[in-house]
Each structure stands twice: as structure tokens, then as C-alpha cells.
Amino acid sequence: MLESLESLTGSPWIYAVVALSVLFDVFLPVLPSGVLVITAATAAAAGTTTVAGATDKVVRVPEEVPSLLLLMLCAFSASVLGDLVAFRLARRGGDRLGRAIARSRRLTTAQERLGGALGRGGGILVVIARFAPAGRSVVSLGAGTGHRKAREFLPWSALAAVAWTGYSAGLGYFGGQWLGTTWTSAGVSVLALFAAGALAAYVLRRPGPAPAAGQAS
């Protein structure tokens, strides 16, 4: 199994593949960016894993393993850049994109909640949405079409990138440390990422707080 992970992630191109996947999944949420980050981080754990076993068994640790720090830097930078590109494109094509969003009740509700949260400084919604399926797309495009200010959106986008990158890479790396650098370890980590996504989607679907009594609707 170690050899399989090495063949997939041992090339320096893994950084470019991860960065491009994270960059474009704001437009194509089906891209497996999280899976790639986890797989590469699992392979990175091979460089520091101490294998205990019989003394007559030789376990080869690959020389070419990804750098966890460089991997996280690529994923973080690509995440913020992708959000910024989607935000700017949505602002420029706001009317046409706004009409498209208006046809979806879910997107309209998400955009309204996002606008209110950003306006109140409660952009933690951006962080939560980063884990939900297509949540990144909704908040980045919604912030652009809602003509939010970049200084309101980008700090939360950066925080979301830190949280998502740290969680995904941490799952792969520590999973590789504890379970070994195997496909089983990577699979368990991916399931944990999907579980976080399901929880984030549930939180986002919950209705916002009702207006206070006497507050204008």
C-alpha cells in the first residue's frame, strides 16, 4: 500500500494538482480537492512514521514524500484565490448571475443569510459553508452578487481556508501516523471529511433566528 501512495503522491506535480483542484472546485464542486489533500497528507506521514515490527522485516520509507507544510500552503493559497476570483466574477456579472440565483430558493436563502451575517460581522457562516458540499460556491458567488465589500468577505474566506486546509491535511497526516500510510487510513480520513461536510450542511439548512418582537420585518 505504501508503494501505491508513493506512486500517486511522490511526484512534485502533486502540489500543482492539489492547488489546481482546490482553485477550481469553487466553480466545479465535484472536483475531489479534499480527497487529494488527504491522500497527499497521508503520504507525507510516511516520512515521520516509525514502523514497529519484527527485526527481520525491512520496511522501506519512500524518499520522495510530499512536504506537509508546502502542501498546506498550496491548498490554502488556492482556496483564497479561488474564492476571490469567484467573488470578483460574481460582482461584475451580478445582474445575470443574480437572476440565476433567484430561480433557486435554496441559493436565494443562503445569499440572504450570508449578506446578513457578513453585515453583522458574523461571517463564521463562511467558515462553516467551506466544509459543506458546494457551500464554498454559494458563499463566494453569493457575496459577489450581493455586492458585499471585499474587506467584509476576504478575511472570513482566509479563515475558512485555514480551517478547511488544517482539518483536511490534519486528517490525512495524523491518520497516517496512527493507522499507517495505507489506503485504509486515507479512506477513514475521507469519511471524517464527509462527516464534517454533512454536519456543516445540516447547520446551514437550519432556519435563522426569528425576528425579535416589535422588530420591523
Side-chain angles (χ1 to χ4, degrees):
M1 289 298 181
L2 191 60
E3 289 79 4
S4 298
L5 282 174
E6 178 188 0
S7 64
L8 180 64
T9 61
S11 169
W13 286 102
I14 186 61
Y15 303 112
V17 172
V18 167
L20 289 174
S21 177
V22 174
L23 176 65
F24 288 111
D25 78 356
V26 68
F27 302 105
L28 299 171
V30 295
L31 291 176
S33 57
V35 175
L36 284 172
V37 171
I38 285 175
T39 303
T42 301
T48 55
T49 299
T50 301
V51 180
T55 57
D56 60 345
K57 183 178 180 181
V58 178
V59 179
R60 183 174 64 89
V61 175
E63 297 180 359
E64 296 295 334
V65 296
S67 164
L68 183 66
L69 181 60
L70 184 54
L71 174 69
M72 294 178 67
L73 181 61
C74 289
F76 167 79
S77 302
S79 182
V80 175
L81 180 59
D83 287 357
L84 179 60
V85 170
F87 173 78
R88 290 297 186 187
L89 289 177
R91 279 182 66 93
R92 292 182 179 180
D95 292 339
R96 182 165 53 186
L97 187 58
R99 288 194 295 269
I101 291 178
R103 290 194 288 268
S104 170
R105 181 179 178 183
R106 178 178 298 179
L107 292 179
T108 301
T109 301
Q111 182 177 341
E112 291 173 351
R113 292 189 62 194
L114 172 67
L118 290 176
R120 296 189 302 271
I124 193 65
L125 178 64
V126 178
V127 180
I128 297 174
R130 184 63 181 85
F131 291 83
R136 179 188 178 197
S137 303
V138 170
V139 296
S140 298
L141 297 174
T145 56
H147 298 285
R148 309 306 307 179
K149 296 179 180 179
R151 65 173 179 268
E152 292 178 342
F153 172 69
L154 287 182
W156 290 105
S157 170
L159 181 59
V162 168
W164 180 85
T165 299
Y167 182 74
S168 302
L171 283 176
Y173 183 80
F174 290 110
Q177 289 281 300
W178 297 332
L179 302 177
T181 51
T182 66
W183 289 113
T184 300
S185 171
V188 170
S189 298
V190 168
L191 287 177
L193 181 65
F194 287 167
L199 178 61
Y202 169 75
V203 171
L204 293 175
R205 284 197 300 267
R206 294 181 62 187
Q215 181 179 353
S217 56

